[in-house]
Amino acid sequence: MMRLLQALFLALLLAGPALAAVGDPAEQLPDPVLEERARAIGRELRCMVCQNQSIEDSDADLARDLRRIVREQVAAGRTDAQVLDYLYDRYGDFVLLRPRFTLATALLWGMPVIALLGGGLLILAMRRRAPAAAPAELTEAERARLSRIEGGSDRPIAGGVGGTAANGPKA
Amino acid sequence: MSEATAPDTPNPWRRRALLLAPLVVAGGAGLGFYAMLRGLGTGSYDPRGVPSALIGKAPPDFSLPPLEGADRPGLSAADLHGQGRPVLVNFFASWCVPCVIEHPQMMRLSRAGVPVFGVAYKDKPQDSLGFLQRHGNPYARLGVDLPGRVAIDWGLYGVPETYLIDKSGVIRWRWAGPVTEDTLTQDLEPLLRRYA
C-alpha cells in the first residue's frame, strides 16, 4: 500500500504542472536575449483554445504552434509589434491579452473611467442630499425645555412643555 | 449648506425613483441573463465563440498538396473564386470527433451541388483517407495541411471549422464547431441563397 502511494506521488511529481511542457528546451531559441523577447511577446498572446491562458502558459497544440511562429519571427529579426500584428491579422482582438483600443473595444477600455465617473457622481449626489438629513433647528418650546433641563429644574418635564406629541413622555 | 433655512422637502417622486432603480437594474440584468440562457439552449449564443478576423476579407494566399489516393486535386487560394457561386472550405481531421458529427451535412451540401473544399488539418494522410473511405468524400478539392500552418493563416483555432466564401472571393461566414443539421438549415442555407 505504502509503495503504491509512493509510486503515485512520484508519478504526480513527474507529471508536474502544465508549465513543465512549456519550458521544453527544444522549443527555446539558443540566444537568451531573443528567447526572453519571444517569451514577453508570447505572454501578450491569448491561447485561443484555453482562452484564459497566454500561449506561454498553455499546453495546447495550437499554443505550441503559435510559440514556434513567434520564435521564428523573432529569430528572423521582426520587431515585437510586427509579430503581434501578424497574429492580430489572423485572430483579431481576442488574441491580444491587452486588446487594442478600437471602436469595438472602446467600452471595454472605457469601463474603469465610466465606473469612476459614475461613482464620483454618486458621491456628489449623496453629499448634496446630506443637508436635508441634518436635524432641523430647535423650536421655541424645545429651546425652553432644553434650558430647563440644563438648569436642573425639578418640574416635571412633560407638563411644562406642552409640545407636540413627539415630545411627550415615554410611558 | 446656506440653503438649510429653506429645507427642501424630499420629492416623493424622486424617492420612488430611487427605490425603483435597483429593481430596474436587477430586472435588466435578469432579462440579459435570460436571453443568454436561451441563446445557450438554442445554440445561437456561444460564450466561448470568437469572431473571425477574416470576415469581409479575401482568404490568405496558400497552396496545399492533394491527398494521395483520394483522387481529388489539391487546394490553393486561386480555387476559391471564379466558381460563379459561393464555396465552402471545411477544415477537418480524422481524429476529430465533431468532424464525424458534421460529415453527413458536408455530404448533403456536396450532393446539392455546393462546392465543398476540404483541408485535412494535422492529420496523417492515411488516416484522412480512411476517414473519407468510412464516411464518404464530400470534397471537390482536398488539401493536406500536415503542419497546420495554413490553418493558422486562416485564424483557425480548432477543428472542425467551416468558411463560406462568396462569388467574388470574400470570406462571409465562419463556423467554429460542427455544422449540425440546425446550423445547416438555419444559418448556412440562407447564407448560400443570399450570396448565390
Side-chain angles (χ1 to χ4, degrees):
Chain A
M1 187 62 197
M2 211 48 212
R3 187 156 293 203
L4 184 72
L5 278 176
Q6 274 174 355
L8 263 175
F9 185 66
L10 196 68
L12 272 175
L13 270 183
L14 286 177
L19 283 169
V22 177
D24 183 358
E27 270 189 21
Q28 295 173 7
L29 291 171
D31 182 342
V33 178
L34 290 184
E35 173 63 23
E36 195 37 60
R37 258 190 63 207
R39 273 183 205 192
I41 296 171
R43 282 195 288 267
E44 296 284 317
L45 293 166
R46 185 195 302 273
C47 166
M48 303 292 285
V49 182
C50 8
Q51 301 202 346
N52 280 324
Q53 284 181 307
S54 78
I55 61 165
E56 284 299 313
D57 297 329
S58 168
D59 214 8
D61 227 28
L62 183 67
R64 191 176 317 133
D65 288 350
L66 295 182
R67 281 201 296 275
R68 196 171 301 142
I69 286 176
V70 167
R71 275 158 184 76
E72 274 173 20
Q73 300 208 354
V74 167
R78 300 261 208 124
T79 65
D80 293 9
Q82 281 172 326
V83 180
L84 289 176
D85 277 345
Y86 178 92
L87 285 145
Y88 181 77
D89 288 345
R90 284 155 182 75
Y91 288 101
D93 284 316
F94 197 69
V95 81
L96 301 178
L97 283 168
R98 285 189 293 174
R100 292 176 184 181
F101 191 88
T102 62
L103 213 61
T105 60
L107 191 63
L108 176 74
W109 280 115
M111 199 38 96
V113 180
I114 293 169
L116 210 65
L117 281 179
L121 283 176
L122 202 70
I123 289 172
L124 271 181
M126 285 171 76
R127 280 176 62 112
R128 276 171 60 100
R129 275 163 52 90
E137 298 251 333
L138 293 179
T139 62
E140 273 309 312
E142 282 166 341
R143 234 190 282 278
R145 186 182 163 204
L146 184 65
S147 70
R148 254 196 321 280
I149 296 168
E150 284 173 344
S153 163
D154 55 2
R155 280 181 61 193
I157 290 162
V161 176
T164 59
N167 291 337
K170 305 243 154 59
Chain B
M1 316 266 157
S2 53
E3 285 93 341
T5 42
D8 50 325
T9 47
N11 183 344
W13 287 108
R14 218 179 110 159
R15 254 189 108 74
R16 216 162 289 177
L18 271 172
L19 279 172
L20 271 175
L23 273 178
V24 170
V25 169
L31 275 177
F33 278 122
Y34 178 71
M36 270 161 68
L37 280 175
R38 253 187 79 96
L40 277 172
T42 58
S44 60
Y45 169 68
D46 175 11
R48 286 174 62 90
V50 179
S52 170
L54 270 73
I55 301 296
K57 294 185 187 158
D61 196 25
F62 70 97
S63 179
L64 290 170
L67 177 65
E68 220 50 65
D71 203 25
R72 298 286 196 281
L75 185 64
S76 65
D79 300 321
L80 300 180
H81 46 81
Q83 302 279 343
R85 56 186 304 169
V87 301
L88 293 174
V89 175
N90 176 237
F91 289 79
F92 75 102
S94 67
W95 45 263
C96 141
V97 177
C99 298
V100 180
I101 296 169
E102 80 166 4
H103 209 74
Q105 279 67 254
M106 292 298 140
M107 295 299 288
R108 203 167 121 190
L109 284 161
S110 172
R111 273 195 299 271
V114 178
V116 184
F117 299 147
V119 176
Y121 172 74
K122 288 198 170 192
D123 197 15
K124 292 197 199 87
Q126 66 268 28
D127 292 348
S128 311
L129 206 55
F131 179 87
L132 296 177
Q133 276 159 3
R134 262 195 312 283
H135 304 291
N137 184 352
Y139 305 117
R141 288 176 168 274
L142 181 52
V144 177
D145 186 14
L146 203 50
R149 287 302 279 266
V150 167
I152 287 175
D153 285 342
W154 281 74
L156 179 124
Y157 66 99
V159 271
E161 274 189 24
T162 305
Y163 294 78
L164 173 78
I165 295 119
D166 73 8
K167 278 188 288 205
S168 57
V170 174
I171 298 180
R172 292 298 180 185
W173 182 76
R174 189 271 299 267
W175 188 258
V179 173
T180 59
E181 239 182 283
D182 283 348
T183 319
L184 187 66
T185 51
Q186 285 165 24
D187 297 85
L188 188 46
E189 281 173 350
L191 283 166
L192 282 168
R193 277 194 294 274
R194 192 200 305 173
Y195 291 111

